[in-house]
Amino acid sequence: MITAAYIAGSISSAILVCKLRRLPDPRTNGSGNPGATNVLRIGGASSAAMVLFFDMLKGAAPSYIGYKIGLDAPSLGFIAIAACLGHIFPLFFGFKGGKGVATAFGAMAPIGGDLAITLMITWAVLVFITRYSSVAAMATAVLAPVYTWFFDERFVLPAAMLSTLILIRHKDNIERLRIGEESKVSRKKKA
């Protein structure tokens, strides 16, 4: 399951959606990050929504399958981490991927629809307030284990594992925020 999750995570939705829609390569345009926020910058909302959906799906599917076959919480955590590591270090794209936020949130979604909705609302509200996707992602990651404890305490450990990975992946963003160079979220206007 860990290997399958890593392989699923290695499928870069951002790169594939950009190729399909004849958009610039997200690795060399915008922030250079192959994720939904950068695709929003270079390709607009509909392309970003596709990337977000597929990035979440590649985290949700392995976690849900693991849950359905009866794996324990730590095992589910390792499966979710593997999917995120596939996104961050994709086998098929030279081991250069995104931050893993949508994949991590997708991996938490099978815990329950109420948790998934709470995470998405938290992220969206924080992006609206701060205009920083990175701040929203990090704050939502910190809150995820707390929300998980409230909705289903059995899965606090996997949620905490994913949250820790997200925070580690944002160390460069933290530095850019500190020196005032972090990019705010903006949407490309389509002609």
Side-chain angles (χ1 to χ4, degrees):
M1 283 301 301
I2 287 172
T3 302
Y6 173 76
I7 290 170
S10 289
I11 300 167
S12 179
S13 308
I15 295 169
L16 296 176
V17 166
C18 286
K19 282 186 180 184
L20 178 71
R21 295 209 156 179
R22 293 184 170 89
L23 296 169
D25 188 326
R27 295 169 294 183
T28 56
N29 288 274
S31 68
N33 181 48
T37 303
N38 195 34
V39 172
L40 177 66
R41 289 182 185 111
I42 63 176
S46 65
S47 296
M50 288 176 65
V51 172
L52 183 64
F53 174 77
F54 287 113
D55 280 355
M56 289 181 72
L57 181 63
K58 68 188 185 183
S63 296
Y64 185 71
I65 292 167
Y67 171 76
K68 290 305 276 183
I69 63 174
L71 297 179
D72 61 14
S75 298
L76 293 173
F78 287 118
I79 289 167
I81 291 283
C84 291
L85 288 175
H87 180 84
I88 295 166
F89 304 108
L91 177 66
F92 309 119
F93 297 96
F95 301 101
K96 293 179 182 174
K99 302 283 186 190
V101 175
T103 305
F105 289 164
M108 292 182 207
I111 294 171
D114 44 10
L115 175 64
I117 290 167
T118 303
L119 291 171
M120 287 189 282
I121 289 171
T122 300
W123 181 84
V125 167
L126 290 170
V127 166
F128 181 77
I129 292 169
T130 68
R131 305 305 297 167
Y132 290 109
S133 178
S134 59
V135 170
M138 290 185 288
T140 304
V142 168
L143 290 169
V146 177
Y147 292 158
T148 304
W149 177 81
F150 180 77
F151 290 117
D152 193 336
E153 70 277 357
R154 295 174 300 162
F155 301 106
V156 170
L157 178 62
M161 293 166 70
L162 289 168
S163 295
T164 301
L165 180 63
I166 289 170
L167 293 173
I168 290 168
R169 265 310 267 173
H170 280 80
K171 65 179 175 54
D172 293 339
N173 301 85
I174 293 168
E175 178 59 19
R176 284 193 300 271
L177 284 162
R178 188 185 73 75
I179 62 176
E181 294 181 0
E182 180 73 341
S183 299
K184 291 192 174 188
V185 174
S186 63
R187 188 174 71 84
K188 180 184 175 197
K189 298 205 184 218
K190 299 290 277 183

